[in-house]
Amino acid sequence: MIETGLDTASLQNVQTGDSRGRIAGGTGRYVLYNGGTPGVQKIVDFPRGATAGKIALSRHRTTAALWTPGGAKGSITGHDLKTGETTTTVTTGSRCVPTDIQAVNSRLYWSCGASGPAGVYDRAAQRNISVPARPSPARLGDGFLVRENRTTHQLLLTDVHTGTAQTRVVAVLPTTDQNTGTSNGRWAVDRFGGQIAYLDYYKKVWIVPSGVPTSPLAQMDAQVYSPSVITRSAPWSPVWQLNKPSTWTLTIATPSGTVRRTLTGASTGAAVRPAWDGTTDSGAAAATGRYTWKLTARPRDGQGRTLTLTGTMTLG
């Protein structure tokens, strides 16, 4: 069983049908579960806090959650977890089957192992950027790749945001306490925030900025619905999953454009989670009917343009 929630009072769970597995990762409303039974892998979808989770995809364990090796060598296929269908296939140009695939925003990192080629495919620019084959596990960030050279103990950052690969040393790790598994024991990458964290010999945590511009603010997912009733104890609680933290303003207006309520906030994570209790700015109860909403989000890191999203909902 997997159990999750925004707090201890709003936990939801789903039965995996497996035991002794582990959580391999998660993004937004989705959790990747690698089962204790060999080969078992499940992706669990946890929608709004009031909705129980469900198994969105169950399959034999593979290299990535949303992206998997395609039918031909050098191809990578994307999957839509909501529909279960294949959405797109990209070609890297390599003659091998990727053993590691990672995705951040519009970029895909792929590797064919320590002795094979590796690259970052930019889906927005439709180009593949060759990067050094990893001497150890690599982690993709927003416009950059981080690797640990376990011979020299250097933490290497490869900047790919301009379309070419430029590598530099960002830290030198202690020679003792070698990690023989993944990077998680010694260093980590903020995939969307552009920072690298690592442990020194004294177990102190150091934070190093990548120096690479982050991607513009973008919507990754949204859960907007029309409530039958709104109260202070049961407000309208849409969720917009963005790719990085933001400060935001949500306006709720009549179809003619008269604004009835304005909500503001700042997200420490990437999700925007407002709550409208059905009252206007003056405190009066809003009439039932159709409303338009407008979300304006500004990136908290100051990089990129303002994101504006619009839509409709019906009260009652």
Side-chain angles (χ1 to χ4, degrees):
M1 182 178 71
I2 298 177
E3 194 170 54
T4 187
L6 295 175
D7 51 57
T8 57
S10 60
L11 294 175
Q12 296 292 339
N13 62 69
V14 64
Q15 296 292 334
T16 64
D18 184 79
S19 61
R20 297 188 299 276
R22 66 182 184 89
I23 303 298
T27 297
R29 58 192 272 188
Y30 298 101
V31 174
L32 176 63
Y33 171 81
N34 285 334
T37 303
V40 169
Q41 186 177 71
K42 298 177 185 290
I43 300 176
V44 184
D45 180 5
F46 286 97
R48 301 192 318 273
T51 306
K54 64 178 182 180
I55 303 295
L57 186 64
S58 181
R59 64 185 180 192
H60 187 79
R61 188 179 302 184
T62 185
T63 57
L66 303 181
W67 296 88
T68 58
K73 291 183 177 180
S75 66
I76 302 174
T77 299
H79 304 274
D80 188 330
L81 291 178
K82 294 179 179 178
T83 64
E85 299 177 351
T86 297
T87 56
T88 185
T89 298
V90 301
T91 302
T92 66
S94 69
R95 297 182 178 180
C96 61
V97 177
T99 58
D100 186 12
I101 304 171
Q102 301 173 39
V104 174
N105 292 331
S106 64
R107 296 181 178 91
L108 293 172
Y109 166 70
W110 60 270
S111 170
C112 293
S115 60
V120 175
Y121 186 87
D122 189 333
R123 292 185 292 130
Q126 296 185 343
R127 63 189 174 195
N128 186 69
I129 306 163
S130 295
V131 299
R134 63 182 193 179
S136 62
R139 293 293 177 268
L140 180 64
D142 188 3
F144 64 94
L145 186 74
V146 177
R147 302 170 288 127
E148 176 188 346
N149 187 318
R150 289 180 179 160
T151 301
T152 63
H153 312 296
Q154 293 175 323
L155 205 55
L156 305 170
L157 183 147
T158 301
D159 184 343
V160 296
H161 87 279
T162 62
T164 60
Q166 301 178 357
T167 301
R168 66 179 188 272
V169 178
V170 294
V172 178
L173 303 175
T175 58
T176 58
D177 189 30
Q178 291 299 305
N179 185 296
T180 58
T182 65
S183 65
N184 295 336
R186 290 166 61 85
W187 56 274
V189 172
D190 184 340
R191 295 187 300 161
F192 302 105
Q195 295 179 323
I196 302 101
Y198 70 93
L199 289 172
D200 68 8
Y201 179 82
Y202 300 101
K203 304 299 183 183
K204 291 183 178 180
V205 178
W206 294 80
I207 306 295
V208 181
S210 68
V212 179
T214 57
S215 296
L217 199 59
Q219 175 183 293
M220 300 176 67
D221 196 8
Q223 299 172 69
V224 183
Y225 62 100
S226 293
S228 57
V229 177
I230 295 179
T231 65
R232 285 183 171 83
S233 60
W236 179 54
S237 301
V239 179
W240 289 273
Q241 186 73 34
L242 308 183
N243 62 335
K244 58 182 180 179
S246 66
T247 57
W248 52 267
T249 300
L250 176 68
T251 57
I252 301 168
T254 64
S256 63
T258 302
V259 175
R260 293 302 190 193
R261 187 67 185 270
T262 300
L263 302 172
T264 60
S267 63
T268 53
V272 174
R273 298 178 179 273
W276 180 39
D277 62 2
T279 61
T280 65
D281 285 331
S282 65
T288 59
R290 183 170 174 268
Y291 290 88
T292 62
W293 56 262
K294 178 180 178 182
L295 178 69
T296 304
R298 295 160 290 279
R300 293 191 65 177
D301 62 8
Q303 297 186 40
R305 61 185 179 273
T306 297
L307 175 68
T308 301
L309 303 171
T310 59
T312 62
M313 55 86 71
T314 301
L315 173 59

